[in-house]
Amino acid sequence: MFTSSGRAARLLQSSSTLCGRVSRTNPQLPLVQRATYVSRAHPRPVPEFTVTEAMQMVLEGIEERKEKRAKKWERNAPKRQAKGLKDDGPYRNQDETVELAINLNLDPRRQGQALRGSLVLPNGTGKTIKCLVLSKDADVAEKAKAAGHEAGGDDLLEKLIAGGVPLDTFQRALCTKDILPDVQKKAARLLGPRGLMPNPKTNTVFDEGSVLLEKLEEQSNTITYRTESSGIMHFPVGKGSFESKQLLDNLQAICQTVQDQKPESYGKGKKKKKMGKNVKYWIRAHLTSTQGKGIRMDLRTVDPTSPFFMKDPE
């Protein structure tokens, strides 16, 4: 009798504990028992931050990692000396890149929803880009070579096909329309997989050589973008050594360009399904750096159509 009564008391106590865990309105229970239920159907909410807060958090993370890398370099100085390694100079710390990832309600498989192009950032990217310039105009090629780029006409095209010019040293390729058919016919399979194929959509094909030379000076401040299969677009905003205002100006230009490129009809799902009235164009936006974590931003501060664009909501 004593055993059965003790078992009943323990069952009663466990049932009351379970009921207390489910109840969220009982303040007398411990915090562990009042925790909310987390599962795939009930995920933990991800915090969102404004644009200025997210940018400040990213820059603070970059500075913290810089200090850690510098301390580690000094701490490992005796080990380098024991191995006979000499330091050529002061420690060259990494300058991380601030990146923006935007998830849009786009399906690139549908007509008109595969966004692709280029834009010039107001404060640049912080990188020096070496370009491959192809043109039949000898004057354009000479001026491009004087600016530090690899340039030429049919002779350079033949060198590319023969493997005489390493393509890994170029970040972008520009050409004029007079040589574009030859490039498409002979070097498309060579330049395309490396992302160097000139395309009018990315503003890398020009009618005249003078326009090409003008745009060549802006290539270090120009970035290209393309919609992925899931509707996500990645943009480099700038370097971690930039000031916060410079990065925010670049981010504002990117968001405005994405809004200006908004197609008339958009939306993911079945092909036969028509777009509804209240379909959202912006889904999510995250800000991160080369070695940092992604920070979700409040869409009200990212969407140019919002009254709180690039502001802190009250």
Side-chain angles (χ1 to χ4, degrees):
M1 186 69 180
F2 177 77
T3 304
S4 62
S5 62
R7 184 180 298 174
R10 289 194 298 270
L11 289 174
L12 180 62
Q13 184 179 1
S14 62
S15 63
S16 62
T17 303
L18 291 174
C19 293
R21 286 181 180 176
V22 175
S23 176
R24 302 180 183 178
T25 60
N26 191 354
Q28 296 179 356
L29 292 175
L31 181 62
V32 177
Q33 296 183 6
R34 289 188 287 110
T36 57
Y37 186 71
V38 178
S39 67
R40 289 185 178 180
H42 305 82
R44 194 182 302 277
V46 179
E48 296 182 350
F49 302 91
T50 62
V51 171
T52 54
E53 292 174 349
M55 186 64 70
Q56 187 65 26
M57 294 171 65
V58 169
L59 293 178
E60 288 177 357
I62 292 175
E63 291 298 326
E64 290 178 2
R65 288 188 292 275
K66 277 187 177 181
E67 294 178 0
K68 289 182 179 179
R69 286 191 290 265
K71 290 180 180 178
K72 186 177 180 180
W73 175 263
E74 296 177 358
R75 187 171 61 250
N76 293 335
K79 295 181 180 180
R80 294 194 300 272
Q81 294 177 359
K83 294 180 179 180
L85 300 176
K86 295 182 180 180
D87 298 340
D88 297 335
Y91 176 62
R92 297 183 295 273
N93 213 323
Q94 180 183 2
D95 193 5
E96 300 183 27
T97 301
V98 181
E99 300 176 358
L100 173 66
I102 304 176
N103 188 4
L104 300 173
N105 193 7
L106 296 176
D107 188 356
R109 297 172 298 178
R110 297 188 180 183
Q111 185 178 3
Q113 296 192 28
L115 302 185
R116 185 180 181 184
S118 63
L119 66 109
V120 179
L121 297 180
N123 299 303
T125 60
K127 297 181 180 179
T128 302
I129 295 179
K130 187 176 181 180
C131 298
L132 176 66
V133 180
L134 296 170
S135 177
K136 292 186 177 182
D137 191 346
D139 294 337
V140 174
E142 290 297 330
K143 292 181 180 179
K145 288 180 180 180
H149 303 281
E150 188 73 24
D154 295 332
D155 54 345
L156 179 59
L157 191 59
E158 294 297 332
K159 289 182 181 180
L160 291 175
I161 298 172
V165 179
L167 295 176
D168 298 336
T169 58
F170 306 111
Q171 290 79 32
R172 201 163 297 156
L174 310 178
C175 77
T176 52
K177 282 191 175 181
D178 55 357
I179 201 173
L180 181 60
D182 297 335
V183 175
Q184 293 175 343
K185 183 179 179 180
K186 299 179 180 180
R189 293 185 178 181
L190 186 64
L191 300 177
R194 294 173 173 81
L196 295 176
M197 186 63 194
N199 194 323
K201 294 183 179 179
T202 57
N203 297 326
T204 53
V205 179
F206 305 94
D207 295 333
E208 300 178 358
S210 58
V211 181
L212 186 148
L213 294 174
E214 292 178 1
K215 296 296 181 180
L216 188 61
E217 298 177 357
E218 302 177 353
Q219 291 305 309
S220 296
N221 300 338
T222 304
I223 61 173
T224 58
Y225 58 89
R226 186 175 184 176
T227 311
E228 296 181 357
S229 59
S230 57
I232 299 176
M233 303 177 70
H234 296 272
F235 300 89
V237 182
K239 290 293 185 179
S241 57
F242 286 12
E243 296 182 0
S244 178
K245 187 178 183 305
Q246 293 177 329
L247 293 172
L248 290 175
D249 291 343
N250 288 349
L251 192 145
Q252 182 177 358
I254 292 171
C255 294
Q256 190 63 53
T257 301
V258 172
Q259 182 64 31
D260 295 340
Q261 296 294 325
K262 177 181 176 181
E264 296 181 358
S265 61
Y266 52 88
K268 302 177 183 179
K270 298 181 180 179
K271 294 184 178 180
K272 296 182 180 180
K273 188 176 180 181
K274 296 183 179 180
M275 186 180 69
K277 295 182 180 179
N278 299 323
V279 178
K280 295 182 179 179
Y281 179 56
W282 296 74
I283 299 179
R284 287 192 184 93
H286 290 77
L287 193 67
T288 183
S289 58
T290 304
Q291 296 183 354
K293 297 181 180 179
I295 301 174
R296 182 181 293 184
M297 293 186 292
D298 189 353
L299 283 181
R300 295 178 298 174
T301 63
V302 180
D303 188 356
T305 60
S306 171
F308 301 107
F309 178 52
M310 303 300 295
K311 299 178 181 178
D312 293 337
E314 298 179 358

